Amino acid sequence: MENLEKKAKKLYEVLHTLWKKWSLEILAIAKKAPRTYTEIQKELGINSKLISTKLKELIELDVLKKTWDKYDLSKFGKKLFKKIKPLAKAISDFADDLEKKIEKEAKDITKKNKEKKWVIKKTKSKMNTTHIKNESNKTEEKMKEIKTISTKM
């Protein structure tokens, strides 16, 4: 039971640290090839205090190791990366699909809005035409009244 608790605690620590901002990015950079502190900082474009903190956390978890002046994945980090790669791919694919769906919905909404604007424009045009006809009819009626009145005079 005690061993299980230790494993659960370690798992929590690993997941908690990995899901923090910049952790996976740093590991991905280190996976490509061992990198210096400066190379990691330039590639990510984040401040030195934050990078120092993240590197320390990842070393403490034993997913990253420092050899001389370079940071590289540890054995555990390489093993972990192999395990999370399918999950990362699945999440990436899901994000891509979601982005495509959102883009399609945005296009559909844009198309519907254009159709609505066209219908509104056409309706306004019909209303104006109807209004003009009504005014024209009223004018004709007034003209007839005037003619009638003028003939009676």
Side-chain angles (χ1 to χ4, degrees), residues 11 36 54 70 91 94 111 118-119 123 129 131 142:
L11 178 63
T36 64
K54 293 296 173 189
K70 298 210 176 200
I91 291 170
F94 174 77
K111 184 179 176 183
W118 182 81
V119 168
T123 304
T129 304
H131 179 69
K142 288 285 183 188

Side-chain angles (χ1 to χ4, degrees), residues 45-129:
I46 57 177
N47 71 51
S48 59
K49 185 177 179 182
L50 184 57
I51 287 183
S52 294
T53 303
K54 293 296 173 189
L55 291 171
K56 285 177 188 173
E57 288 175 352
L58 294 169
I59 290 170
E60 286 175 14
L61 275 179
D62 192 32
V63 292
L64 197 65
K65 65 180 179 179
K66 184 177 179 184
T67 314
W68 296 98
D69 67 334
K70 298 210 176 200
Y71 294 88
D72 193 9
L73 290 180
S74 66
K75 285 182 184 178
F76 177 66
K78 289 175 185 175
K79 187 177 176 182
L80 179 67
F81 231 92
K82 284 180 185 176
K83 301 276 185 190
I84 65 171
K85 191 174 180 180
L87 176 62
K89 173 139 178 44
I91 291 170
S92 177
D93 291 348
F94 174 77
D96 290 345
D97 292 345
L98 185 60
E99 185 178 7
K100 287 175 188 172
K101 181 182 175 186
I102 290 170
E103 286 174 3
K104 184 185 179 308
E105 287 176 2
K107 285 179 184 177
D108 290 346
I109 288 170
T110 302
K111 184 179 176 183
K112 286 178 183 175
N113 284 341
K114 284 181 182 177
E115 289 170 359
K116 285 180 182 176
K117 285 180 183 177
W118 182 81
V119 168
I120 290 169
K121 203 178 225 183
K122 196 166 184 168
T123 304
K124 282 182 178 178
S125 175
K126 283 182 181 177
M127 288 171 64
N128 285 340
T129 304

Side-chain angles (χ1 to χ4, degrees), residues 1 5 11 58 135:
M1 186 69 158
E5 287 177 11
L11 178 63
L58 294 169
E135 290 300 313

Side-chain angles (χ1 to χ4, degrees), residues 1-14 61:
M1 186 69 158
E2 192 175 302
N3 192 25
L4 185 61
E5 287 177 11
K6 283 183 183 179
K7 285 182 179 182
K9 185 177 180 183
K10 182 69 175 178
L11 178 63
Y12 173 79
E13 288 175 20
V14 169
L61 275 179

